């Protein structure tokens, strides 16, 4: 090939001046001809530097041309190139590599992982954005770490992974996961919005976590305003795996684990129980029950049931998934089939089983891109049963007395119970109750989505996306005739069958127009859209009453049948827009606007406008600022915006009346109309205003990254119940209106260090978030809201513990007489502090005892690998909050239920050096009232997961990769809390700190295998 230098010499010295132009044309033609003749087919294979495995879908482009090739499933490629060409290898998640062709017939490439997460493209509302260009608060979840949590719900995977996200769950198979982002913003609903593959869903309950490719958490208005009225509680964006060009890639993963309760309560055995209960009866002036009296022929000394040992066994969790991925540029596909089953560690039929399938299709033809999603999930859950609302199976289990047997063939149903005359204890046989009842819920969910995108002109694209999401459910609960002891006897007439069926469908139609342009140093990205949605809900319920023992549990066999149904439709329309602008990769500006209209509110108030503005400054890209070489990135960003919350029942603005209500006037019935429910016709959106400021730093080529962030969230017009005068005739006697406000603020820090430059690779990632919550308005008059051992009051945090303070124990009658008046107090009773000094102990002496919302939460992930071995640990915790231990209160009440072993040290005239009051039936002094006796620290640290894996060396045409691993979950709890688990599931709102008996999170030990074919 003739070089430019040779061409210059030839033109200037060998040819006449007038002929040099013609010579240039001839020689250039010859040069390109020679170059084309020298072009030849180059082949090679592209592998990963980390595991030496082939990489499918890698793009190979000849630098400066449009010639492109893509590696197949085996990592191989072919491309026509000349010796002087340079091949550029690029693949998402890996560093680009350039290799000169030269005279090599084969050009192999080994790509290293791109540890610079700033180059990562993240999914944001209705689009994507480079992480380095984000101006809002967007946390990217480390999916490699999150997926090591064995769970049925993707929400559980977020625990401890990013700052500002609080997750509560329980050990109940298929139980609800409670998640909040940057505190609570409402007195009603605080669950974030979930967006899966662009589709808005209420929760990720029906989706397989193993099929997730990425998760992002949008925490402020700058990032979430594009979702308008749904964005106030934060947004979690989930993207599932998509098809990639290449041969069929098959992945199989199987996990099987055993679950046990990590710790147990110390409760009394038969002897201890009879001791305390008999003392309580004698202190109340009662005779000792025959079952506890050694002198009675009915004395029970042959039954000593340890209910925790009888109930707690070993649960089994298993998860198998099969993934198929492949295709070409015109059509790529990813099919995931996932099976999950979890049996309870409580010996009962309660379990959860789910089969999920998800098919993603995507392709490109010229300027037209297209795709579709088809997903179907079928789940089956056998539920635990509460006899009374709030009386959880765990609280009943711990309160069960040891003199009650588990089984009794003489009772209907075959399970034991208590006797009124022998024991006087109202004690539920939890094992029998949950084994006798059938309480099953089934769900079928279908999701369909289809979209197409066309590039009208360069940079201008139109996308239409239509989706349909339908869930069908059937709930069936049958309570058969049974005898579980007095009070817990179900007669034939009280035997019931409840059947509920229903469905809900949601339809979305998105029309989006985007435009991208680069003009010199100016870069624009504009989005405009129009969104329509519709939600239809239908419920039908039937009840059959009256069944004989052994009778078929069908409605037609009931003695009496009743039924009802409900139906509603909600529609909405939204207009969205966004502008991203950057100048010279130094200055960033973003603006979002969304207008929502919905049928949830009256015509006057059914429109809401939401917006945000944010900006960023890449200080490290400034030429006038000279930073040390080891400083890779310095970026300052901040933003402000308004979000909304429309969590309100359908038609909740329209007052309903009964037109057939009569009234007696002088013994004559006159027709009339009365108010059935009084509602506020002016009810409207809740709004949240957020301010966010952050500093991002990167060091050592961004191997070390650090982010510090400060936020303020002010929520206004919160929906809250305001009392109504009884003269209105409405029921309930309050009306829901916009009369509440609160503020959340805090700091968030994240730090990550990756060292992947040697054979021994490791990474450390940590995060810390603080939170302060303050109520700024409650209703019109500011009256506090009472919760379980809690009060919500203006100027304080939501749901703070509110209780009496213990001052000691009365030691004598003189001590009682000389103390502030305490009704029914006697020696051995708790002495409470007279806070207001009025000489009387009453409700005015209760004080705030601590916040229930953790003041801080944190997480830390440690990973390391060497050759074929890898290990990871994930620590997580929170603190600064208090817990009211309702279980401990029940076990220290000194009544007929079982007791904590702590109560064995109860006060007697000869045992005065104790803080445990005398047990007494009826508790006339209120020793068990809500006091600081039962308040404990909520601080804890958990070794949430630990995993050790080994890559099995395989070299054949079938198995490309095989890995085996051992995984432990909830392995270690460091906490002073005496309950099962300080990380318990509560309502998360106004009674968040009350532990009434949540299912303890189990300790799970599992083994698994991953195979790539």
């Amino acid at each position: 090939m003739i070089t430019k230098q040779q061409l210059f010499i030839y033109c200037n010295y060998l040819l006449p001046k007038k002929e040099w132009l013609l010579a240039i044309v001839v020689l250039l033609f010859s040069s390109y001809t020679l170059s084309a003749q020298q072009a030849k087919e180059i082949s090679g294979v592209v592998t990963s530097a980390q595991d030496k495995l082939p990489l499918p879908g890698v793009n190979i482009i000849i630098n400066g041309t449009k010639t492109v090739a893509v590696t197949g499933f085996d990592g191989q490629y072919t491309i026509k190139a000349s010796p002087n060409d340079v091949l550029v290898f690029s693949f998402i998640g890996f560093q680009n590599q350039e290799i000169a062709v030269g005279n090599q017939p084969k050009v192999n490439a080994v790509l290293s992982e791109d540890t610079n997460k700033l180059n990562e493209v993240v999914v944001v509302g209705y689009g994507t954005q480079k992480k380095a260009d984000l101006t809002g608060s967007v946390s990217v979840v480390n999916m490699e770490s999150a997926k090591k949590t064995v769970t049925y719900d993707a929400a559980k995977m977020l625990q401890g992974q990013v700052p500002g996200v609080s997750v509560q769950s329980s050990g109940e198979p298929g139980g609800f996961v409670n998640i909040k982002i940057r505190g609570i913003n409402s007195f009603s609903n605080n669950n974030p919005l979930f967006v899966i593959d662009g589709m808005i869903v209420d929760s990720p309950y029906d989706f397989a976590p193993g099929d997730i490719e990425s998760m992002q958490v949008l925490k402020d208005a700058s990032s979430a305003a594009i979702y308008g009225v749904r964005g106030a509680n934060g947004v979690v964006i989930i993207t599932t795996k998509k098809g990639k060009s290449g041969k069929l890639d098959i992945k199989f993963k199987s996990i099987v684990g055993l679950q046990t309760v990590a710790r147990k309560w110390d409760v009394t055995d038969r002897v201890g129980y009879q001791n305390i209960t008999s003392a309580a009866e004698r202190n109340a002036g009662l005779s000792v029950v025959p079952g506890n009296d050694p002198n009675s022929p009915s004395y029970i000394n042959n039954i000593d049931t340890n209910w925790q040992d009888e109930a707690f066994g070993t649960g089994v969790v298993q998860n198998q998934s099969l993934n198929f991925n492949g295709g070409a540029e015109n059509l790529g596909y990813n099919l995931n089939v996932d099976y999950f089953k979890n049996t309870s560690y409580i010996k009962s039929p309660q379990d959860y089983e789910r089969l999920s399938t998800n098919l993603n299709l995507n392709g490109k033809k010229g300027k037209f891109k297209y795709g579709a999603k088809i997903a179907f999930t079928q789940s089956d859950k056998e539920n635990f049963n509460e006899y009374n609302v709030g009386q959880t199976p765990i609280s009943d289990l711990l309160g069960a007395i040891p003199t009650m047997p588990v089984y009794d063939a003489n009772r209907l149903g075959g399970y034991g119970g208590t006797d009124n005359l022998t024991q006087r204890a109202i004690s539920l046989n939890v094992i029998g109750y949950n084994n006798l009842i059938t309480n099953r819920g089934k769900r079928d969910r279908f999701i369909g989505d289809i979209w197409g995108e066309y590039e009208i002109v360069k940079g201008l694209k139109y996308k239409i996306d239509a989706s349909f999401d339908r869930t069908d459910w059937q709930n069936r609960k049958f309570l058969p005739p049974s005898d579980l002891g007095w009070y817990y006897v179900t007669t034939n007439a009280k035997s019931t069958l409840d059947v509920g069926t229903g469905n809900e469908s949601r339809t979305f139609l998105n029309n989006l127009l985007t435009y991208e342009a680069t003009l010199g140093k100016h870069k624009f990205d504009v989005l405009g859209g129009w969104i329509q949605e519709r939600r239809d809900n239908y419920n039908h319920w039937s009840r059959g009453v009256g069944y004989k023992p052994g009778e078929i549990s069908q409605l037609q066999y009931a003695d009496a049948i009743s039924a009802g149904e409900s139906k509603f439709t909600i529609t909405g329309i939204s207009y969205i827009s966004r502008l991203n602008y950057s100048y010279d990769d130094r200055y960033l500006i973003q603006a979002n606007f969304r207008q929502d209209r919905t049928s949830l509110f009256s015509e006057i108030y059914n429109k809401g406008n939401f917006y945000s503005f944010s900006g960023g400054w890449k200080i490290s890209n400034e030429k006038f600022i000279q930073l040390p070489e080891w400083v890779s990135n310095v970026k300052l960003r901040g933003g402000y915006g308004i979000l909304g919350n429309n969590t309100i029942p359908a038609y909740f603005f329209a007052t309903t009346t009964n037109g057939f209500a009569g009234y007696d006037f002088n013994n004559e019935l006159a027709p009339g109309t009365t108010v059935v429910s009084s509602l506020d016709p002016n009810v409207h959106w809740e709004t949240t205003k957020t301010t966010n400021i952050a500093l991002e730093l990167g060091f050592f080529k961004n191997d070390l990254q650090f982010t510090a962030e400060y936020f303020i969230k002010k929520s206004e017009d919160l929906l809250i119940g305001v009392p109504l005068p009884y003269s209105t005739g409405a029921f309930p006697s309050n009306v829901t209106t916009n009369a509440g406000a609160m503020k959340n603020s805090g700091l968030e820090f994240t730090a990550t260090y990756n060292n992947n430059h040697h054979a021994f690779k490791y990474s450390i990632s940590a995060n810390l978030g603080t939170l302060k919550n303050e109520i700024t308005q409650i209703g019109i008059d500011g009256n506090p809201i009472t919760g379980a051992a809690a009060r919500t009051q203006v100027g304080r945090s939501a749901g703070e513990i509110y209780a009496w303070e213990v001052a000691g124990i009365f030691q004598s009658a003189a001590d009682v007489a000389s103390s502030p008046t305490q009704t029914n107090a006697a020696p051995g009773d708790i002495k409470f502090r007279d806070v207001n000094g009025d000489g009387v102990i009453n409700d005015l002496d209760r004080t705030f005892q601590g916040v229930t919302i953790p003041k801080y939460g944190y997480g830390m992930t440690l990973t390391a690998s060497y050759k074929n071995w890898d290990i990871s640990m994930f620590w997580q915790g929170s603190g600064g909050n208090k817990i009211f231990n309702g279980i401990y209160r029940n076990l220290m009440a000194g009544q007929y239920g079982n007791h904590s072993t702590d109560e064995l040290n109860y006060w007697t005239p000869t045992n005065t050096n104790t803080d445990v009051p005398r047990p007494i039936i009826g508790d006339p002094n209120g020793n068990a009232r809500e006091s600081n006796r039962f308040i404990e620290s909520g601080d804890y640290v958990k070794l949430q997961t630990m995993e050790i894996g080994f890559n099995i060396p395989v070299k054949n045409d079938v198995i490309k990769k095989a890995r085996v691993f051992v995984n432990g979950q909830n392995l270690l709890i460091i906490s002073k809390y005496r309950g099962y688990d300080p990380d318990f599931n509560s309502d998360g709102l106004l009674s968040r700190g009350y532990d009434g008996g949540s299912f303890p999170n189990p300790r799970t030990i599992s083994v698994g295998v991953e195979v790539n074919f």
Side-chain angles (χ1 to χ4, degrees), residues 348-630:
S348 63
Q350 281 68 38
D351 61 13
Y352 174 70
E353 187 175 21
R354 180 183 68 197
L355 177 65
S356 302
T357 58
N358 183 39
L359 173 63
N360 285 328
L361 302 172
N362 54 279
K364 180 180 180 181
K365 187 72 173 179
K367 295 184 177 182
F368 184 53
K369 292 182 179 179
Y370 42 86
K373 179 185 184 71
I374 301 174
F376 178 75
T377 298
Q378 186 175 67
S379 61
D380 193 342
K381 184 180 186 303
E382 179 72 26
N383 301 297
F384 280 92
N385 304 283
E386 295 182 355
Y387 190 89
N388 294 315
V389 177
Q391 187 176 318
T392 73
I394 295 298
S395 63
D396 282 330
L397 179 72
L398 292 171
I401 64 175
T403 58
M404 177 176 64
V406 179
Y407 304 99
D408 187 346
N410 296 319
R411 293 185 182 273
L412 180 61
Y415 289 94
T418 59
D419 180 72
N420 181 21
L421 298 177
T422 305
Q423 295 148 308
R424 286 187 197 156
I426 299 176
S427 187
L428 177 63
N429 186 331
V430 176
I431 298 175
Y433 190 65
N434 279 280
N435 277 279
L436 288 170
I437 294 178
T438 300
N439 185 359
R440 186 168 293 278
K442 295 184 177 181
R443 287 165 58 98
D444 292 337
R445 186 171 188 174
F446 170 81
I447 289 179
D449 177 55
I450 186 169
W451 61 271
E453 181 182 83
Y454 183 74
E455 187 173 16
I456 303 171
V457 295
K458 185 178 180 180
L460 180 62
K461 300 176 182 178
Y462 168 72
K463 181 179 181 179
I464 184 170
D465 188 340
S467 63
F468 178 74
D469 180 358
R470 179 184 172 103
T471 302
D472 292 87
W473 59 82
Q474 181 187 73
N475 300 316
R476 187 180 187 86
K477 181 179 180 180
F478 178 60
L479 176 63
S482 62
D483 178 6
L484 293 175
W486 77 294
Y487 187 82
Y488 296 110
V489 176
T490 303
T491 62
N492 293 359
K494 292 183 178 180
S495 176
T496 58
L497 171 66
D498 289 296
V499 179
T501 59
N503 61 75
E504 180 170 291
S505 61
R506 303 180 71 175
T507 306
F508 288 89
L509 179 62
N510 299 344
N511 292 271
L512 305 175
L513 197 64
T514 60
Y515 180 68
E516 297 180 9
T518 300
L519 303 174
K521 296 182 179 181
H522 304 273
K523 185 177 180 181
F524 300 89
D525 179 359
V526 183
L527 165 71
W530 172 41
I531 299 170
Q532 292 176 285
E533 61 178 290
R534 178 186 175 99
R535 176 183 171 192
D536 295 282
N537 181 285
Y538 173 78
N539 266 293
H540 178 274
W541 60 93
S542 301
R543 164 168 278 202
V545 180
Y547 291 89
K548 299 180 181 64
E551 193 168 15
I552 299 174
S553 57
Q554 297 289 339
L555 287 172
Q556 64 264 38
Y557 299 108
D559 294 338
I561 301 175
S562 59
E565 65 177 356
S566 67
K567 183 179 182 180
F568 66 80
T569 298
I570 300 172
T571 59
I573 186 170
S574 304
Y575 303 94
I576 65 173
S577 61
R578 177 171 59 215
L579 168 65
N580 282 317
Y581 167 75
S582 68
Y583 174 75
D584 196 23
D585 199 27
R586 289 183 289 160
Y587 310 116
L588 308 169
I589 296 176
Q590 183 184 90
N592 290 280
F593 176 79
R594 175 165 177 148
Q595 182 182 92
D596 285 305
R597 300 186 180 187
T598 177
S599 62
L600 280 170
F601 303 105
S602 65
E603 188 172 348
I604 301 176
Y605 299 99
N606 71 349
K607 182 174 69 174
N609 297 322
F610 309 96
Y611 60 86
S612 71
F613 301 96
S614 59
W617 179 23
K618 295 184 180 181
I619 301 174
S620 52
N621 287 358
E622 289 287 0
K623 296 180 177 59
F624 67 88
I625 298 179
Q626 299 298 320
L627 297 173
E629 186 178 349
W630 50 272

Side-chain angles (χ1 to χ4, degrees), residues 653-714:
F653 60 88
T655 299
T656 57
T657 60
N658 180 4
F660 301 95
Y663 192 81
D664 186 358
F665 284 101
N666 298 323
N667 295 322
E668 290 188 11
L669 184 65
T673 299
T674 186
V675 175
V676 176
S677 62
S678 183
L679 301 175
D680 179 9
N682 299 321
V683 68
H684 53 273
W685 320 89
E686 298 180 344
T687 59
T688 296
K689 301 174 182 178
T690 77
T691 301
N692 196 89
I693 301 173
L695 175 66
E696 298 178 3
L697 302 173
F699 308 99
F700 312 115
K701 297 183 179 179
N702 288 315
D703 283 348
L704 174 62
Q705 296 182 32
F706 175 80
T707 301
E709 204 153 353
Y710 174 71
F711 70 90
I712 298 176
K713 295 171 66 176
K714 295 182 179 180

Side-chain angles (χ1 to χ4, degrees), residues 265 788-789 801-806 830 832 849 852 881-894 900 902-903 915-917 923 926-938 976-979 984 993-996:
W265 276 91
I801 293 180
Y802 192 66
W804 284 272
E805 293 184 22
V806 173
I830 293 289
F832 295 100
Q849 300 285 324
T852 56
N881 61 303
K882 297 294 184 179
I883 297 174
F884 188 89
N885 196 331
I887 292 294
Y888 189 60
R889 190 260 293 273
N890 296 342
L891 294 175
M892 294 293 288
S900 166
D902 289 351
E903 199 170 3
D915 60 354
V916 180
D923 191 15
N927 292 326
R929 72 179 71 179
E930 297 162 347
S931 71
N932 59 352
R933 288 179 65 201
F934 315 112
I935 299 173
E936 302 181 45
S937 170
K976 295 181 179 179
Y977 185 62
R978 60 165 51 91
F984 60 88
Y994 188 89
D995 185 358

Side-chain angles (χ1 to χ4, degrees), residues 98-114:
E98 297 184 4
I99 302 177
V101 174
N103 296 320
Q104 305 175 82
K106 283 184 174 294
V107 178
N108 297 327
V110 180
L111 300 186
S112 300
E113 288 188 356
D114 188 359

Side-chain angles (χ1 to χ4, degrees), residues 130-207:
K130 196 174 179 180
K131 188 176 180 181
D133 295 337
L134 293 174
T135 55
S137 182
V138 180
S139 291
V140 180
V141 179
N142 183 339
M143 291 308 301
E144 185 177 354
S145 172
K147 285 186 177 181
K148 290 175 181 176
T149 298
V150 181
T151 180
Y152 53 88
D153 195 328
K156 173 68 175 175
M157 299 165 61
L158 288 170
Q159 188 171 33
Q161 294 291 337
V162 293
V165 178
S166 169
V167 178
Q168 293 176 313
S169 62
S170 74
E172 179 186 359
F176 178 70
V177 176
N178 199 331
I179 176 173
K180 291 173 178 57
I181 298 175
R182 287 184 170 177
I184 62 175
N185 314 290
S186 173
F187 292 111
S188 53
N189 175 47
N190 286 277
N191 296 320
L193 174 71
F194 285 86
V195 179
I196 300 181
D197 292 333
M199 297 178 57
I200 293 176
V201 300
D202 291 328
S203 73
Y205 186 81
D206 294 309
F207 298 87

Side-chain angles (χ1 to χ4, degrees), residues 725-802:
Y726 290 106
S727 59
T728 62
F731 181 82
S733 58
N734 58 35
V735 62
T736 298
T737 187
N738 300 92
M742 70 176 71
K743 180 176 74 172
N744 292 278
S745 60
L747 291 164
E748 294 174 357
F749 305 93
T750 60
T752 302
Y753 178 70
N754 294 293
N755 190 327
N756 296 318
H757 308 300
H758 306 91
F760 177 73
K761 301 176 175 63
Y762 63 91
S763 68
I764 303 172
S765 178
N767 67 80
L768 170 67
T770 69
L771 181 66
K772 180 182 179 182
N773 173 269
E774 181 185 353
I775 303 298
T776 55
Q777 180 187 358
I778 299 178
I780 299 173
D781 300 322
N783 294 323
I785 302 174
T786 300
R791 171 173 283 193
T792 299
Q793 180 174 303
V794 173
R796 306 194 71 94
S797 176
E800 278 195 48
I801 293 180
Y802 192 66

